[in-house]
Amino acid sequence: MATDVNVKQLSVDMCERLLRDLEKARRPVFQATKCALDNCFYNPKVGYLTPGDKKVATELNVSSVQKMSRAIFMIELILRNLDVGATNTKRELYYISKGEIKHNPALRPLDFDDQDESDAIVDFICEMMECYREDLNCFANDRGGQTYSQQLMVMETMPDGTKATIDLSKLGTAPFQPKNRPQSLKLKAKKKIDFCLIVESEGTANTLVNSGFTKRHPVILLGAQGVPSNAVRGWTKLIQDELDVPCYFFGDLDAYTMQNIFRTLKAGSAASLIRNADFSAPEVKFLGVLPEDIKKYDLPDYAVRENDAVESRALKKARDALQNDPFFKDKKNKGVSDILRWLLQHKRRCEQQAFFSVNPRDPLMPEKIIIEKIKNKNFV
Amino acid sequence: MATDVNVKQLSVDMCERLLRDLEKARRPVFQATKCALDNCFYNPKVGYLTPGDKKVATELNVSSVQKMSRAIFMIELILRNLDVGATNTKRELYYISKGEIKHNPALRPLDFDDQDESDAIVDFICEMMECYREDLNCFANDRGGQTYSQQLMVMETMPDGTKATIDLSKLGTAPFQPKNRPQSLKLKAKKKIDFCLIVESEGTANTLVNSGFTKRHPVILLGAQGVPSNAVRGWTKLIQDELDVPCYFFGDLDAYTMQNIFRTLKAGSAASLIRNADFSAPEVKFLGVLPEDIKKYDLPDYAVRENDAVESRALKKARDALQNDPFFKDKKNKGVSDILRWLLQHKRRCEQQAFFSVNPRDPLMPEKIIIEKIKNKNFV
Amino acid sequence: MAKTQSITSASSAEYFSKNLQQVGFSSYTKAALTTLKEAVDNSLDACEEAGLLPEISVTIEKIGEGTAKNSDSIKIRIEDNGPGLEVEDIVKVFGEYLASSKFGRGRCSRGQQGIGISAVTTWAQLTSARGASVITKTEKMRKACQCVVEVDIKHNKGVLKSKEVIDWDRDHGLTCEFIIDARIQLQGEGGLLAYLSGTTLVNPHLTLRYKILEQDWVEVARVTDTIPEIPEATDPHPHTMKLGEFIAHSHLFGRVTIGAWLKKGFSRISDGVLTDLKKAGLKQSLLDTSVDTITEENFKNVFSALQKVNLMAPSTKSVLSIGETAMAKSIQRIGQVDFFAVVSRKPTICDFKPVLVEVAIARLIDRDMPEDGAVTLLRFANRVPLQFDKSACAMTKAAESVNWRSYGLNQPKDSLPLGPYIVAVSVVSPFIKFKNASKETVDASDELVEEIRRTLIQAGQRLSKHIRRESKEADLEKKRQHIEMFAPILVDGACRITRSPKNRRERALEGLAKLLGRDAALAEKELKVAIEHAEEAVMKMEQMTGILPEPPVVEEKPKKKGKG
Amino acid sequence: MAKTQSITSASSAEYFSKNLQQVGFSSYTKAALTTLKEAVDNSLDACEEAGLLPEISVTIEKIGEGTAKNSDSIKIRIEDNGPGLEVEDIVKVFGEYLASSKFGRGRCSRGQQGIGISAVTTWAQLTSARGASVITKTEKMRKACQCVVEVDIKHNKGVLKSKEVIDWDRDHGLTCEFIIDARIQLQGEGGLLAYLSGTTLVNPHLTLRYKILEQDWVEVARVTDTIPEIPEATDPHPHTMKLGEFIAHSHLFGRVTIGAWLKKGFSRISDGVLTDLKKAGLKQSLLDTSVDTITEENFKNVFSALQKVNLMAPSTKSVLSIGETAMAKSIQRIGQVDFFAVVSRKPTICDFKPVLVEVAIARLIDRDMPEDGAVTLLRFANRVPLQFDKSACAMTKAAESVNWRSYGLNQPKDSLPLGPYIVAVSVVSPFIKFKNASKETVDASDELVEEIRRTLIQAGQRLSKHIRRESKEADLEKKRQHIEMFAPILVDGACRITRSPKNRRERALEGLAKLLGRDAALAEKELKVAIEHAEEAVMKMEQMTGILPEPPVVEEKPKKKGKG
């Protein structure tokens, strides 16, 4: 399912082109897709943000020769890792490069003063190869995606060919934690699964599981832990594609959640334009908190603090998004952009945990509301 | 093994005392153990920080009556949760209390203006009952402790009496994630386990696992993800106690790691004085980076930036610790305090990933160094 | 290589008329303020000299456009009940620079050098072609004399014009009127009202009436009948002199011996000092030489020897005090005062000069002063308000250096404290060192700043008693509310948790009410102590001042539910 | 109620001797600087008046302890080759306040009012009991005259003492010597050296020798033989006058008609203006009235009408320019100059006064100036260095308002730019408005700040050509290094990844060298253009100045490996 990037082949191709150009004393130029809002397109049939034709070109010249040399050097290190299946964090790559240079004084001009410099080169390689750092076997910390279900089975084929099958109902209270490359997993439902619920707050996901949500309902429940990591994004897409179950996102009603969390989960982001295909789940619905829920459930909400830098930036970004973001401009997502408009107009926000105030004596009230909202198609 | 706190009984006792005193028009006074460095003791035989006799008294008077009323109110909510086995996050408790007050106008004077206020009451209850918030069924996000092993089996008895047995070798690449109350788990080794390695950086723990560390060695490997959470602390203690395997901590050589991460893991902290017994693993050794490793392995190290607020604060704290902290003052921990002294003297720091620079062409080099260091008892 | 120019002498009047911006005429708004200020200061000085209680009346009118662009033609008239001036003196005072009864006399009068009012006349002359219009009547004069005085700038002489004898219904007094190009600014630190209210504050014996532009007449009545007694200047102190002054001083004494001259002509030189001088190597024969015969070299020797011996500090008798009593009364004239504190320090020596610092702090009720704005700092030098260039002034620096937080005021770091307070600082000295000729900033020497700072600290301590009393009251009120609100909630909760019966709830509630009642009683007692303290302070003040500020009423809130 | 005090008149000398702190004697270090400055300024003015090329010699010695505590006794001696003074003039110049050949003449001389040197005499008298020792010889005098002058403070008259006729081996000149209590500060913005080097900078025609304390004699030779021609003052402009001055001006003209007086007595009043006045309602009959018969009221009418008509701005003829040529030469005397830019603006009108601004900026080689310190800003008013209170000065404000970053200098926000630069700003005007009597700060009016700012911007633009050339050179060097360093690394890496044979590596390296060589060639071309620009600027400068700064040598680094 996941489009695998052949980093090795890309590297060889790139170096081939480089050398060919050099042999002819032609100036090599590397082009990469421009990952920015002005190169974003949204096709409602596809459902995620796709790149346009705009390219960012890096020309080899006196100014860029250091950066290019560093990139080639780093690619060598990465290819070595890919060859043997080794993985590293960015910081480890930094130290590996330090060690390499220490042992080879001819490379001294490449030396990195600090990790920021080597991180920038890793990012540059990703841009040129149009891939994620995970494709380079360079992994970030796992974050989010802890998953609970009584029905879900995960099958993994290990590098050595052995297979692992994990029955999520057999993990006790422990969650299943998808790793940074969930695309390599296969999923199976032991019984029919009604839906998948992605909860913005990991703590609230825990609360729902502890109170028996996944016992009472044949569902998959996972915590996003804020802005979804690549793991969470890929994992959600996998669930959507492999199991064909409806996915609902349960989060705060505020501009930040709508744009940075929900939009990214559903349609990807401008920064990750090149790989949104593999890292977005266009069928995810926004379950709430919806503006109408405030009145309906008499939820405590708050005025946006306009002198709070983060909140006011999110509002400003929301105004921009309604004008320029192809996702919010498309009428397919009118429901979501209507919420943005409501937020801009009313300048109120409401947290997902507000549902806990509806009937404080009934710990299952939030669960009941969620089920009721899904039943009534009370989502967008 | 874990000393369970009976919150219900403690609450009733507390209220009984309160009412008894009030009936006699006596002023109720609540005492709690003072959790601060000046009430810390260290008994090398016990191995963790224990509380002295100092108490913090809260007297019911006009100034404290609001706080006490809020606490009693919050205790009621918590007892309700404990009764039915419901759990909540702090934020959910805030909304539950908002809902409760909304439905009962007589409680209006208790209303919280924001979550900070209700969080403070939860903390106050923990102080008075000398327990952790987890004992109140109020959970923090899971953080850290992702564990890998080919030998480890985890047995859990669920609230409904059913049992779960998790074989960590059967989870594919996924880790086992211990939850916030790991004390309720039972452990078993399928085969003899050589040691448990706690890695400060979760990313590097991943790298080691990916490169086959746990395949080649019968060990338990877990990532601490910075300052260890209660889950990581309890989980490490559980491994130490149940399996009787040596535990090694692999982290950065700097003042912050020594004091805030390693010391907390091994002997607890002053803030958590009351429950260090259940949340520290006194047998954990500091494997490195040791000062002598820098020379031995020619590791890239850095000068401490004394104009960096965090780093200079850590150094200042280290100076204090050598003078006042009973853990560092005890000669049993001379190895660790020698490192602090070295750090203060040389003002250098070295990150654990520096081992990746030793032989950058051998991805297994860090693993080999770890094994070698353990074999040579090259730890403190 | 021709030498073309000959040296000509200019008069002081030429100098000052070319440099009017240095003496208060750097803008049209300042021109109005300076005119008012110089005339009023002169009236006050004259009344004090003559031992009269001043009554001053001010009218300021706009009579048209000014002759210069962007200016108005303004008529300023100041009338006093002072001793009046003889006509020949009028000409000097208003028409001649450096003509003064006060020049260099070492007294704490407002004016010193005889520049101010002549500069006003010059400004009027330059901008409206008409000098000072004056009416004067002394006790000796049967009728009043009305005239116009102008400055003959070339010769620094006053010129008398249109002299007329007129009837005037008062025994003595002086009126002067100027038509000048100016602009009126009423509000703000540099405004006319700040000058007038500042002047009344530090002149409790002044009755002031004024009418400015279209506004109604305002009268501020005097609050004391005591006329400040201006002490006489004392003999010079050798450590405050330069060698040249020392020698010049000898010329006043004719044929006396050095020893006699030293004892007679200086303060703080006694026989003991002469002995010290001899110990330091000065010969008896030199002390016995007559001052009119000794050589310059020997003057130098005596002077140097004197600089090296220890002398008592100069006398502080020559400084004048407003006094705590008078200040306390006067500050009530500024507005509705909630409470206040005044401190009058003893005269002291700073930088070898006698100086006296007094401070009044008042909290105003209902004035348009925001809680979070800086206090209004009023500065006075020899009882004249200083309204410009405050940042470098010794008084400002001292006020910023005090830790007002410890007296219950808010204060940003190194700044003035905040709140609806007036902080008035008055420095009186026969030798105030100004940073410039327009006399707006007192030089911030370390010694002077420290003396002002100490005065402010004392005032702050007195003030804090009032502030403490206020916060106690707020505290008691809060405690009462707490009892009413939380007692039932707390007990009910505990009863539910313990499943206690109803009667237990009643008993616990009663006990709690008693307990918290005790707290409230305690608070009430604390309040009482605080009130006593504050009252003591007020009584002490009253003994000094004879007036008592209204004590704020402590309202008893009726208890609502009978159970608290 | 007795009127006790009579009015007495004080002399200007009394006033100033009481207020010496206002005219440059507020501390012992300033006393030394002021003494030096007043004497040198007078010498320069005298030479200019007489059309002589000034040669001034300064000696400063410490001769012992001062008479006052914490001071030294300092002898300051200034000798010039000026026209000398007649003895009767000596007495006035050194012994009388406000006696001057320049008072109010509306010319750009350094001294203006005749206060400075008399204040020095007073200070000497007060602190050492000895006034000014002067030697003078005019061309007419056969022998020189040596004497001591003191100030009779009571009467503001010079007093001549110990007059002697002596031989002096020069045709004419003047020497004055003062013994004063003072302290010597050589370095820093307020130091004596800053005054001396500043003075030479803006007086290219001055030859200065000085010996200070134990240091060796220093000689700074003149760089031009052109004596600045001091333009005569022009007739007054009606818009720069006040009504009173206007009326007073009429008295100089006797019996002429108003119309004739206006045309004759003022600049910028032509027949056309008279027509405009009539259009504005002034009657022909009034214009035909004689000035000595019209009423004050009519004076006002004429004056007001004049204020309302449009007049040409005042003439700028009366301002004097140092000139770009002379400045360019003079700035080389400050130290080893790397490159520089000078701008001399045309005279213009600010606040109705003619003013001329000139700027010189130089980068110094090897001076102890850190790269990251602020530039040294030198301020001059009528060619006198201003050394104190710089922050409020118009020149400082203007320099801070320029965006120096666009000319290649570093600059913190709203501050002076950084680097080893001297930025000299000279303002020349017959009517410089100082903020205070000690003449250290030029009042920052919007118009003046803007004029100075424009001059600085022009100078910055000229300077930037040099700076751009430098940065291009650094750039080229960096590019060369890059080629040498990275080419093999890059190609080797790509070859390893593609497993390419060795000969391919060679070909690629050659291609890369060509490519990057092209970049370097491009950079070299850019450098060439930049050098041409800079050279053009230098040539232009040369045409103006006749001197050419050494161009920095562009070193060709030998290529190391034959392939780059």
Side-chain angles (χ1 to χ4, degrees), chain C residues 235-310:
Chain C
D235 287 330
H237 188 284
H239 285 183
T240 67
M241 288 186 123
K242 295 200 173 66
L243 172 63
E245 293 165 325
F246 182 72
I247 298 173
H249 191 53
S250 76
H251 301 329
L252 305 173
F253 288 79
R255 184 175 291 271
V256 293
T257 65
I258 295 286
W261 168 55
L262 291 181
K263 284 201 288 177
K264 199 171 152 196
F266 296 90
S267 64
R268 306 311 193 199
I269 300 194
S270 60
D271 287 323
V273 172
L274 295 187
T275 312
D276 288 348
L277 286 176
K278 279 182 281 182
K279 274 186 204 151
L282 221 57
K283 287 194 182 124
Q284 179 66 46
S285 58
L286 181 54
L287 289 177
D288 292 339
T289 316
S290 170
V291 289
D292 60 349
T293 60
I294 76 163
T295 61
E296 202 178 282
E297 201 49 41
N298 273 329
F299 263 127
K300 267 192 209 173
N301 292 337
V302 177
F303 182 76
S304 294
L306 265 175
Q307 298 305 310
K308 282 167 196 158
V309 298
N310 283 325

Side-chain angles (χ1 to χ4, degrees), chain A residues 56-243:
Chain A
V56 185
T58 305
E59 192 187 69
L60 179 61
N61 56 33
V62 169
S63 313
S64 67
V65 68
Q66 184 193 36
K67 188 176 171 190
M68 284 299 304
S69 304
R70 282 176 159 182
I72 297 278
F73 166 68
M74 187 62 85
I75 287 172
E76 277 195 87
L77 304 186
I78 284 165
L79 289 179
R80 206 192 288 151
N81 270 353
L82 289 168
D83 263 358
V84 300
T87 65
N88 284 111
T89 63
K90 274 182 168 176
R91 178 170 296 173
E92 290 162 5
L93 280 180
Y94 167 69
Y95 280 104
I96 288 173
S97 69
K98 296 292 273 190
E100 193 72 38
I101 291 164
K102 185 176 72 185
H103 289 106
N104 186 351
L107 300 177
R108 189 87 16 105
L110 301 177
D111 201 9
F112 299 109
D113 277 345
D114 56 40
Q115 197 193 323
D116 286 350
E117 290 185 13
S118 65
D119 286 359
I121 295 297
V122 173
D123 295 342
F124 175 60
I125 294 170
C126 289
E127 270 168 42
M128 284 201 303
M129 304 211 172
E130 308 203 339
C131 67
Y132 274 5
R133 51 190 283 204
E134 286 80 7
D135 300 317
L136 308 178
N137 274 13
C138 174
F139 287 100
N141 280 1
D142 296 324
R143 186 170 57 73
Q146 304 185 335
T147 304
Y148 306 85
S149 173
Q150 294 296 312
Q151 291 74 33
L152 184 61
M153 305 278 286
V154 177
M155 271 80 63
E156 182 173 16
T157 304
M158 310 295 284
D160 62 2
T162 60
K163 292 191 185 204
T165 301
I166 304 128
D167 182 340
L168 268 63
S169 70
K170 298 277 197 283
L171 297 179
T173 56
F176 173 77
Q177 166 88 62
K179 303 290 286 184
N180 278 313
R181 242 178 174 173
Q183 292 91 342
S184 59
L185 304 175
K186 295 276 166 206
L187 303 185
K188 205 173 81 185
K190 288 198 292 185
K191 283 200 234 159
K192 183 178 179 302
I193 293 173
D194 283 358
F195 58 85
C196 168
L197 184 69
I198 302 114
V199 182
E200 179 177 347
S201 152
E202 191 219 329
T204 293
N206 261 328
T207 298
L208 292 172
V209 171
N210 282 347
S211 68
F213 195 117
T214 51
K215 291 248 172 66
R216 276 183 289 280
H217 305 282
V219 302
I220 300 168
L221 195 151
L222 68 108
Q225 217 172 328
V227 176
S229 63
N230 288 343
V232 172
R233 292 170 58 190
W235 176 243
T236 307
K237 179 187 170 58
L238 191 73
I239 290 170
Q240 176 200 283
D241 291 359
E242 293 249 315
L243 299 176

